[in-house]
Each structure stands twice: as C-alpha cells, then as structure tokens.
Amino acid sequence: MNYGVIGAMPSEIAGIKEHMENVQEHKAGSLVFYTGQIGQNTLTLVQCGVGKVNAAITAQMLIDKFNAQAVINTGVAGALGKDVKVLDVVISTEVVHHDADMRLYKKYPPFVDGFYGDPTLVARAAAAFEAMDHGNSHCYLGKIATGDQFIESSAVKADIVARHNPLCVEMEGAAVGHACTANGVPFVIIRTMSDNADEQGGMSFDAMEKVAAKYSSNIVVAMVGGK
Ligand code: ADE
C-alpha cells in the first residue's frame, strides 16, 4: 500500500520520519516530500504548513505526484467534546469545515453531503491506539471540525459546538478530507488534544504540542507498520 501522510508542523511529522527506512527526499515548490518504508508499506510523508489551503494543495500533490492510495492526516487539536480531554485521541468518522457553508458541496462539485473517514482506516487507527501504551488517554471516534483559525475562546468554541457538535477542532483535516473525497481516495484524520480551545488554549498548546503530536504519530507508525 502507498500511503500519503500529512502533518502541518514539524512536531507532527518528526515521530514518523524517524521510523522510515530508505528515505528519499523530493522537493516540490515550498514542500519537501519524504518517501520511504515502514514495515511492508511505502509512505510519502510531508509537512504541509498550517491551514486548509496548504493542506488541500498537499493532499492533491500526494495523490497526483506520489500515487497515494490512502491519506492519513496526523497531529494535534483543541478538545470540544464534553468528555474529551488533553492527550485524548480523536479519529475522524467525519470532517467538516466550520468556517464554510457545507451545503454548497452538495449542490456544486464535489457533490457530496459530507467528508467521511474511511471505515477501514478508522478501525485500524482505533485498533493501533488500543494496542499501544496509552496511559490515561481515551480514544474517541467522531466528527472533527476544521477552520483557518486557532480557537482560544470559550464563546467561539461554543458557537462551533452549537453548529456542528464536533469532538475537536483543528486547521487541516476537512481540507484533506475534501481533497481526498473529490479524488475518491480514502482518508483518516488522527488528532491528539493539545488544549481545550478556550482562553488557556495558547498556553496549553505551547506546553503540550510535542507530546500530543507524538501520540498521533505513534498511532500512524503502528497502522502503517503492519500489512
Ligand atoms: N490545533 C491545536 N489546537 C487548536 C485549536 N485550539 N484551534 C485550532 N487548531 C488547533
């Protein structure tokens, strides 16, 4: 299997790159793609930068230039679900743009009513979490909301929850899901909570980013390392 793996920040790809063998580097525009092996699978790993446009461009490049047959987006997020805590993991059954009118995607291309994580990839990510040493962390399967802002306000958080009822918020997942869905390529988003998207969000993010990013990358390595 040929996987494309996307993280937005250096911390979100470092823990995967260190497990790759026979790594070859390819530069394309401002991006550096690393193709190599983990176990029996080939993956192309890339740091896309923050936000939806960067993520969508990069997903399309993984599909067109690197023949990705499935795309995994890994990283951190702000917790929105009532029970979801810092260092818990959320795996996407669905992703939504919280800052776009999702109804437009039904009426115009890509003519879909939503962007849904591939059930097989979701199940494999959940199984990888269960099999690893995850301390007090819990894993939730559900909806992830994406937008081009870092959320650090209880009011903004409440508004996103009222409109979409997601488990967490981040800045790339729906763009990856959107690009993959438009191309008929399966995808999954794996996010570990770095903060609660409230007034302390920025401080919590700074303290927890690296450890949370590593949790998500451990899941990716376990998923891709198998057959
Ligand atoms: N990624 C991690 N925490 C986030 C937050 N609070 N808002 C948006 N993206 C995030």
Side-chain angles (χ1 to χ4, degrees):
M1 182 78 152
N2 236 339
Y3 289 96
V5 181
I6 303 181
M9 298 177 295
S11 62
E12 293 174 323
I13 66 162
I16 298 167
K17 186 151 174 259
E18 69 193 22
H19 287 272
M20 290 171 62
E21 291 176 332
N22 309 317
V23 177
Q24 289 190 328
E25 217 178 282
H26 316 266
K27 293 202 169 79
S30 55
L31 299 172
V32 184
F33 294 82
Y34 303 98
T35 299
Q37 258 86 45
I38 297 184
Q40 297 181 6
N41 291 305
T42 300
L43 63 151
T44 300
L45 175 70
V46 56
Q47 184 207 335
C48 69
V50 175
K52 298 201 299 181
V53 174
N54 283 328
I57 291 169
T58 305
Q60 189 68 52
M61 288 171 85
L62 281 171
I63 293 165
D64 288 346
K65 286 180 180 275
F66 297 92
N67 302 316
Q69 296 166 296
V71 175
I72 303 172
N73 173 219
T74 175
V76 302
L80 299 187
K82 171 165 77 57
D83 300 319
V84 184
K85 298 189 172 45
V86 170
L87 290 187
D88 283 346
V89 172
V90 174
I91 299 169
S92 63
T93 54
E94 183 179 0
V95 281
V96 295
H97 299 281
H98 68 71
D99 53 2
D101 185 343
M102 289 291 295
R103 292 171 302 182
L104 297 173
Y105 308 130
K106 177 84 179 158
K107 189 170 176 198
Y108 304 106
F111 303 115
V112 294
D113 61 6
F115 307 120
Y116 300 97
D118 177 69
T120 304
L121 293 173
V122 169
R124 287 189 34 219
F129 173 85
E130 291 308 331
M132 74 189 206
D133 177 8
H134 50 260
N136 292 325
S137 290
H138 291 88
C139 178
Y140 297 92
L141 310 188
K143 194 193 284 180
I144 296 178
T146 304
D148 277 316
Q149 13 159 206
F150 185 87
I151 308 299
E152 46 187 340
S153 150
S154 302
V156 177
K157 173 176 168 168
D159 176 57
I160 295 170
V161 171
R163 288 185 293 114
H164 296 289
N165 199 25
L167 294 176
C168 69
V169 64
E170 38 81 308
M171 301 180 68
E172 295 81 26
V176 172
H178 191 148
C180 287
T181 302
N183 287 275
V185 171
F187 76 91
V188 66
I189 316 299
I190 301 167
R191 297 283 177 158
T192 304
M193 304 306 106
S194 56
D195 59 86
N196 289 314
D198 57 11
E199 285 68 14
Q200 285 77 47
M203 235 167 44
S204 178
F205 176 89
D206 289 344
M208 302 308 290
E209 174 202 340
K210 287 201 170 60
V211 55
K214 181 80 167 119
Y215 263 61
S216 294
S217 29
N218 287 346
I219 296 174
V220 177
V221 170
M223 276 178 75
V224 172
K227 285 188 183 170

